[in-house]
Amino acid sequence: GERFDRVMFNMPFWYLTDHDGALEFPVSEGMLRAIPPQEAFVDVGYSMIRRFMSTAANHLKPTGVIRCSFASFGNFEALDEILSDFQLERRTVAETVEADYDLKYLAFELTPQDRTP
């Protein structure tokens, strides 16, 4: 029953439709060599994200926020659908470009739709 000012979530970025799907990732070869994505960032159907978002707001104080990470190669459409399902709004609070790997990391702040932080 405890509630928090801030809940942190380091979300998995890569979206696959099923476990048997081909691991074709839309990032540079350098990134694929540096970090084997199938071992680090895959969330099939974004089921982990969905599970987290289904109850995360229940753990916030009235003015609390959820902070989470994402990356430019993530599936924004699938993420936004999940956030909509659980009536959460996102805004980007920070971003950094990883030029060597041709990607951008993002930090989001999520709040329930019925209020702003």
Side-chain angles (χ1 to χ4, degrees):
E2 191 172 356
R3 298 198 179 256
F4 302 92
D5 294 316
R6 191 169 289 118
V7 173
M8 308 295 286
F9 182 33
N10 186 17
M11 292 192 294
F13 311 140
W14 269 296
Y15 178 93
L16 290 179
T17 56
D18 58 55
H19 287 285
D20 298 324
L23 295 176
E24 295 179 19
F25 301 98
V27 296
S28 70
E29 285 299 316
M31 175 73 172
L32 291 176
R33 284 191 301 277
I35 303 171
Q38 64 273 22
E39 298 170 11
F41 304 116
V42 173
D43 184 7
V44 176
Y46 278 176
S47 61
M48 181 188 304
I49 292 174
R50 178 170 289 284
R51 208 167 41 249
F52 176 87
M53 296 303 171
S54 71
T55 62
N58 298 339
H59 301 284
L60 295 176
K61 289 182 178 178
T63 59
V65 297
I66 300 163
R67 289 274 175 101
C68 54
S69 58
F70 209 60
S72 57
F73 51 82
N75 186 327
F76 283 84
E77 184 178 335
L79 175 63
D80 286 341
E81 182 178 313
I82 292 167
L83 297 178
S84 176
D85 287 349
F86 298 108
Q87 300 178 342
L88 295 167
E89 293 181 352
R90 74 171 163 91
R91 75 180 178 95
T92 302
V93 294
E95 58 184 63
T96 186
V97 174
E98 190 71 53
D100 291 343
Y101 303 125
D102 191 31
L103 66 94
K104 184 187 303 183
Y105 287 111
L106 304 142
F108 295 145
E109 186 171 87
L110 309 177
T111 54
Q113 287 179 353
D114 61 353
R115 68 170 173 85
T116 55

